[in-house]
Amino acid sequence: MTPAHPGLTLPEELLLLALDPQRGKPYCRNRFLEYGMAGAVLAELELQGRITEQLGRIRVINPLTPQDPLLAQVLGSLPAPDKGRFTGGVSAKRWIRRTGRQVEELCLAHLVDRAVLRRETRRFLGLLPYHCHPAAAPDLPATVRERFAAARTAGFPDPRSRTLAALVSAIGLSSAVAQGGWRARSAMRDLVSLEWTAHAVHQNVRQDKANRSGGSAGGSEGSSGDGD
């Protein structure tokens, strides 16, 4: 599946799938979306041949700066290429947990600057301000969804569509964006373990869920959407 728009990267596609175009709020828990965004930017870098994964660690194999500013910033933050085979790099799971919020904020700002999204400030209970990001061009999120649906119908036939589907499932977004009932969600869930970025994302999601069930406050943001 080629990008739904020539200028959209995987994290931007995931974000447009996750946000309600009218309300500007995510269909899944926001913290899970942050993890997904971090995983998506790693997946985009891998598809471009700039990073790889070994034993759960991210390795830079091509440090040439990408044109996209978000990809360039992320690649520049990763450890430089090393010659060691089993050492070096950075843990994918930890990197995703540490940088998810920053990646999401940068991606949101980039899409606002490009007039794909609007930034609206609202107040919770009339007091606490928060931001929502409704679509400035509703046809673009619709196109992203249509292309995702077409890829699902075709069985996610290429690496990009499989990775996007795995990330959607990993963050609990399947029921909000995928038609086809439990069979479609099950097929997407099976992809999570096959795509290392989605697997690392889902490890963090499961950790948050375990913390919540154990009484911890970790991962309690937003509303829940559990399609994985």
Side-chain angles (χ1 to χ4, degrees), residues 41-99:
V41 77
L42 293 178
E44 183 71 46
L45 288 170
E46 182 183 42
L47 288 171
Q48 293 188 13
R50 300 183 187 278
I51 66 170
T52 190
E53 178 266 349
Q54 289 181 345
L55 301 176
R57 301 185 74 80
I58 307 163
R59 291 176 174 276
V60 175
I61 55 177
N62 178 4
L64 187 64
T65 303
Q67 292 184 347
D68 182 90
L70 174 58
L71 299 180
Q73 185 166 344
V74 169
L75 187 65
S77 73
L78 295 172
D82 59 79
K83 297 181 180 179
R85 186 174 179 183
F86 298 109
T87 59
V90 60
S91 164
K93 178 178 181 261
R94 291 178 183 174
W95 188 89
I96 285 170
R97 192 169 195 86
R98 187 176 67 247
T99 63

Side-chain angles (χ1 to χ4, degrees), residues 169-187:
S169 181
I171 64 175
L173 194 59
S174 301
S175 59
V177 303
Q179 302 297 318
W182 70 268
R183 291 183 185 276
R185 294 194 295 272
S186 177

Side-chain angles (χ1 to χ4, degrees), residues 112-125:
V112 169
D113 288 344
R114 292 169 56 195
V116 174
L117 299 175
R118 302 192 311 272
R119 186 187 301 273
E120 297 181 355
T121 301
R122 302 174 186 174
R123 291 186 178 275
F124 180 68
L125 298 178

Side-chain angles (χ1 to χ4, degrees), residues 128-209:
L128 302 176
Y130 66 95
H131 296 302
C132 289
H133 295 85
D139 58 320
L140 183 53
T143 300
V144 173
R145 283 176 172 268
E146 289 169 2
R147 293 180 68 92
F148 185 83
R152 182 197 61 77
T153 301
F156 301 113
D158 58 90
R160 186 182 186 89
S161 66
R162 286 193 294 273
T163 300
L164 183 57
L167 289 165
V168 164
S169 181
I171 64 175
L173 194 59
S174 301
S175 59
V177 303
Q179 302 297 318
W182 70 268
R183 291 183 185 276
R185 294 194 295 272
S186 177
M188 293 168 63
R189 185 168 59 244
D190 290 343
L191 294 172
V192 174
S193 61
L194 302 178
E195 303 292 339
W196 67 269
T197 52
H199 179 66
V201 167
H202 196 231
Q203 285 181 309
N204 282 297
V205 169
R206 286 190 302 180
Q207 180 177 328
D208 281 11
K209 289 181 178 180

Side-chain angles (χ1 to χ4, degrees), residues 7-9 11-12 15 37 67-71 102-117 119 133:
L8 290 182
T9 61
E12 291 169 341
L15 189 59
M37 295 296 294
Q67 292 184 347
D68 182 90
L70 174 58
L71 299 180
Q102 180 184 12
V103 170
E104 183 191 36
E105 289 175 351
L106 289 171
C107 191
L108 284 167
H110 187 50
L111 289 179
V112 169
D113 288 344
R114 292 169 56 195
V116 174
L117 299 175
R119 186 187 301 273
H133 295 85

